[in-house]
Amino acid sequence: MSAARRLENLVLTIFTFSAALVWIFPLYWSFVTSLRSEENVVGNASLLPDEFRLSAYVDAIFNTRLMVWYFNSVGTAVIVTVTVLVISMLCAYALSQIRFPGRRLLYGVVLASFMVPTQALLVNQFILMNNLNLINTWAGIILPQLITPIVIIVYKQFFDSVPKEMREAVVLDGGGEFTILFRIYLPLNWGITTAMAIVTFITVWNAFLWPFLVVTSEDMMTIPVGITQVNDAFGVAYARLMAVAMLAALPVILAYVLFQRRVTEAIMISSGVKG
Amino acid sequence: MAMIENRKKKSLIALTMVAPFIVVFSTFFLYPMIEMIRMSFTDAPLVGEGNWVGVDNYIRLIGDRLFVTSLKNNGYFVLLTVVPTTVIALLIALAVSRLKGVAQTLALSLFFLPYVLPVSVVTEIWAWMLDLQFGILQPLIALVSGKPVAVFKNPYWVMPMVALVTIWWTNGFNVLLFIAGLRNIPQELYEAAALDGATRFQRFRRVTWPLLWPVTALVLTLQLILQLKIFDQIYLLSGGGPFNSSYVLLLKVYREAFQMNHGGYASAVATVLFMLIAVVSVLQYQLLRIRRGA
């Protein structure tokens, strides 16, 4: 490589990273703010963490309902994720491997529902939940979030590509469809299951509009809804607000950092740019 | 006989497998959808029955200034976000895909991270950064306008700023799609172009751009659909104000239903939004089918 090329590469790399640092700055700035004491937050434009206090975090944990919201978020997100995976996996397996009447129609419905906006349905979903007496309950938060046709589409796509011989081997041994699904198709597509699980979890954890509508009691709120309630009677306490924001973001940031490859893979696959 | 038995048994198993989805789907998607359309022809309150009023709600919509405003604002927001976010994502993807190994992973993570944050975390962060008195970005704003501005309370600043926040928050997703698209371009094409003495720009124009166009079309249409549904950021940052300058369709649905108790009218607005997005989605589907067919 010529010296000119190498210099050009170096300049471009430096430029890319400078841009990346600018991009991530809001997150960094919130983190720095959360480590300061309230008195030291306002009018402090020092970009370095000139303090390292956890008082805002202690305040956030003990003086807000943060822990209750955490509990609700974890509980509902886990239940939605597991349920979505099971429902979608079963449905996708049948669509992919079993010939039954109405198969094409059902797949058409799945594809169509993938395209229509659930947000527009929120008024009538709310009325339904109200009639079922599920306002302010976990079930109320969970049920409408189970509609995720994309997971079915992705599973079907992967089940379609499993070689037929593997299936026939189990049939010869006298195994039924459930055995084939759980012994062969699932283990072969374990990567997809993890990828879909993480992305579903992140989506549900972050959901705002629906939980915001269906929950009015502070004790039933999930984190994204709850943190909009954190305001001080004596004006906004910025350090605490940022500490709450950081704590709310922590699980998804961790999930991303730990499972980075799976997250990116899942997004590429479910958008159809990579199959 | 045995074969028919067998087929019946198979269908029964299939039915058991698809039943959970069908039950959930019919109850929480199909039923609300039918109800939405039915209710849009009534004057029902949020909870309770109303009278059939035919297309009155839809006629009323045409004369509803707030509805027209929100339709316009949706359009404005689409203009402010869709093309800019696509261009920015493409530039970032091109820059990041030049990097190798750990450097690439690190740079991509930095650009992607905002995407995983909950919307309310994003809005709290930006409200703090843009705080009128103590916001660290106010000096920058003062450079442009001469003085600090309460951006989310200013009719001129509010939409561009919500757009900025939205682009920052969601762009990582688009970057990923572009990177996947770039990776799918066979390396040999670049080598061949280089042998022919193509310049860097020519290589982009003749190789990268045409092969990346399908992903670009995907990003553009996905963004269009997403931004038509804008609600969360607006609700949390400006509440539709000031002077309705950030009032959007979904906010209209929300206010009519949950604050004014107009279930029927809200359903009419929701139906319009629903149709709008469904049309765009069908167009997108056609576009992608052409892409896959090609």
Side-chain angles (χ1 to χ4, degrees):
Chain A
M1 206 189 284
S2 70
R5 263 310 282 288
R6 218 176 299 166
L7 185 70
E8 193 194 314
N9 266 338
L10 184 70
V11 170
L12 280 171
T13 305
I14 291 173
F15 182 76
T16 307
F17 273 95
S18 314
L21 290 180
V22 171
W23 195 267
I24 206 68
F25 177 76
L27 207 53
Y28 169 79
W29 182 240
S30 313
F31 180 61
V32 170
T33 303
S34 74
L35 295 176
R36 291 179 174 153
S37 58
E38 286 307 338
E39 314 84 66
N40 197 18
V41 159
V42 289
N44 185 345
S46 156
L47 297 184
L48 295 171
D50 50 356
E51 262 189 285
F52 193 85
R53 285 183 190 231
L54 295 177
S55 55
Y57 287 88
V58 175
D59 188 19
I61 291 169
F62 291 105
N63 296 334
T64 71
R65 306 248 174 125
L66 194 70
M67 289 298 121
V68 179
W69 302 331
Y70 248 110
F71 180 66
N72 292 331
S73 270
V74 172
T76 53
V78 167
I79 295 174
V80 172
T81 306
V82 172
T83 318
V84 160
L85 288 180
V86 172
I87 291 178
S88 310
M89 181 188 300
L90 288 170
C91 182
Y93 179 83
L95 283 173
S96 162
Q97 301 298 323
I98 308 175
R99 316 224 151 259
F100 60 95
R103 186 170 86 131
R104 288 180 68 104
L105 176 71
L106 182 61
Y107 192 55
V109 166
V110 173
L111 280 178
S113 61
F114 168 54
M115 294 193 292
V116 273
T118 43
Q119 281 92 336
L121 301 178
L122 55 89
V123 174
N124 302 86
Q125 285 178 333
F126 178 87
I127 296 171
L128 175 65
M129 291 302 146
N130 187 55
N131 293 342
L132 294 173
N133 269 323
L134 293 177
I135 303 293
N136 277 320
T137 65
W138 275 22
I141 300 173
I142 289 168
L143 290 168
Q145 297 200 69
L146 297 179
I147 312 277
T148 50
I150 184 66
V151 185
I152 300 183
I153 298 171
V154 171
Y155 262 126
K156 180 181 177 300
Q157 194 185 329
F158 279 83
F159 288 167
D160 281 346
S161 62
V162 174
K164 291 266 177 278
E165 297 80 43
M166 309 198 73
R167 173 189 166 79
E168 276 149 22
V170 181
V171 175
L172 282 179
D173 285 348
E177 299 291 348
F178 284 94
T179 321
I180 302 173
L181 169 58
F182 290 109
R183 287 280 165 79
I184 298 179
Y185 282 73
L186 205 52
L188 277 177
N189 292 289
W190 204 237
I192 288 308
T193 301
T194 349
M196 289 295 128
I198 296 156
V199 168
T200 310
F201 182 86
I202 292 178
T203 311
V204 182
W205 182 276
N206 288 347
F208 175 78
L209 182 50
W210 177 253
F212 161 76
L213 285 177
V214 82
V215 165
T216 49
S217 138
E218 269 204 42
D219 287 327
M220 284 311 296
M221 285 176 181
T222 57
I223 285 223
V225 181
I227 66 174
T228 63
Q229 308 290 311
V230 182
N231 271 317
D232 214 16
F234 309 97
V236 190
Y238 288 108
R240 183 173 75 182
L241 201 55
M242 288 306 116
V244 171
M246 291 301 107
L247 288 172
L250 192 65
V252 274
I253 291 180
L254 272 183
Y256 173 64
V257 172
L258 289 177
F259 301 104
Q260 204 181 48
R261 258 193 47 226
R262 293 274 178 229
V263 174
T264 53
E265 192 188 14
I267 287 175
M268 290 172 183
I269 289 168
S270 43
S271 318
V273 235
K274 187 187 153 206
Chain B
M1 210 40 204
M3 243 176 86
I4 294 169
E5 284 276 296
N6 199 9
R7 197 179 290 168
K8 261 193 181 162
K9 206 183 134 204
K10 277 215 149 165
S11 296
L12 205 65
I13 293 172
L15 193 67
T16 329
M17 286 178 152
V18 297
F21 171 75
I22 292 179
V23 168
V24 167
F25 179 81
S26 324
T27 322
F28 304 107
F29 187 96
L30 207 56
Y31 173 73
M33 192 174 84
I34 294 164
E35 272 297 292
M36 172 182 77
I37 295 165
R38 188 193 64 80
M39 249 177 96
S40 74
F41 296 107
T42 72
D43 61 0
L46 184 59
V47 175
E49 284 305 307
N51 303 309
W52 187 264
V53 295
V55 292
D56 275 13
N57 286 329
Y58 292 94
I59 293 169
R60 224 176 99 200
L61 275 180
I62 302 168
D64 184 339
R65 281 183 56 190
L66 202 50
F67 173 74
V68 177
T69 305
S70 41
L71 207 57
K72 279 188 195 156
N73 284 337
N74 265 76
Y76 183 38
F77 191 73
V78 162
L79 281 180
L80 285 170
T81 48
V82 174
V83 173
T85 205
T86 309
V87 173
I88 294 170
L90 178 60
L91 290 176
I92 293 174
L94 286 170
V96 169
S97 58
R98 288 181 52 92
L99 303 171
K100 307 236 158 12
V102 184
Q104 190 183 60
T105 313
L106 184 65
L108 179 59
S109 301
L110 293 177
F111 283 115
F112 185 78
L113 210 49
Y115 180 72
V116 302
L117 302 177
V119 62
S120 40
V121 169
V122 171
T123 55
E124 299 285 15
I125 288 176
W126 282 88
W128 163 230
M129 300 246 304
L130 290 164
D131 184 89
L132 181 62
Q133 270 184 293
F134 310 112
I136 191 155
L137 292 185
Q138 281 297 345
L140 273 181
I141 286 172
L143 269 184
V144 181
S145 73
K147 57 179 193 311
V149 179
V151 288
F152 299 119
K153 294 193 176 77
N154 179 301
Y156 299 103
W157 283 80
V158 62
M159 282 303 243
M161 277 304 174
V162 176
L164 178 80
V165 173
T166 306
I167 292 173
W168 179 78
W169 176 37
T170 56
N171 208 32
F173 180 83
N174 303 326
V175 172
L176 266 188
L177 299 194
F178 275 124
I179 285 183
L182 286 169
R183 281 188 192 151
N184 286 344
I185 299 176
Q187 209 52 44
E188 301 88 62
L189 289 178
Y190 288 107
E191 283 155 20
L195 278 180
D196 289 343
T199 63
R200 181 187 295 280
F201 179 70
Q202 280 171 330
R203 266 178 280 162
F204 178 78
R205 261 217 57 197
R206 305 273 169 190
V207 180
T208 315
W209 182 245
L211 289 174
L212 211 55
W213 173 245
V215 180
T216 314
L218 174 72
V219 172
L220 283 170
T221 47
L222 281 179
Q223 285 302 311
L224 182 60
I225 294 167
L226 184 74
Q227 306 308 357
L228 281 175
K229 296 187 282 191
I230 168 91
F231 175 86
D232 301 2
Q233 303 96 293
I234 297 266
Y235 179 83
L236 292 168
L237 288 171
S238 71
F243 317 117
N244 303 328
S245 53
S246 60
Y247 217 94
V248 286
L249 282 176
L250 205 49
L251 188 64
K252 174 87 176 155
V253 175
Y254 168 75
R255 289 266 159 86
E256 289 292 344
F258 298 100
Q259 288 176 349
M260 329 254 269
N261 198 22
H262 297 155
Y265 194 53
S267 296
V269 182
T271 307
V272 171
L273 180 64
F274 191 86
M275 296 297 177
L276 198 64
I277 294 172
V279 168
V280 179
S281 300
V282 170
L283 286 179
Q284 185 212 353
Y285 184 69
Q286 295 297 341
L287 206 72
L288 296 182
R289 262 227 317 223
I290 291 163
R291 188 188 120 216
R292 290 213 174 101

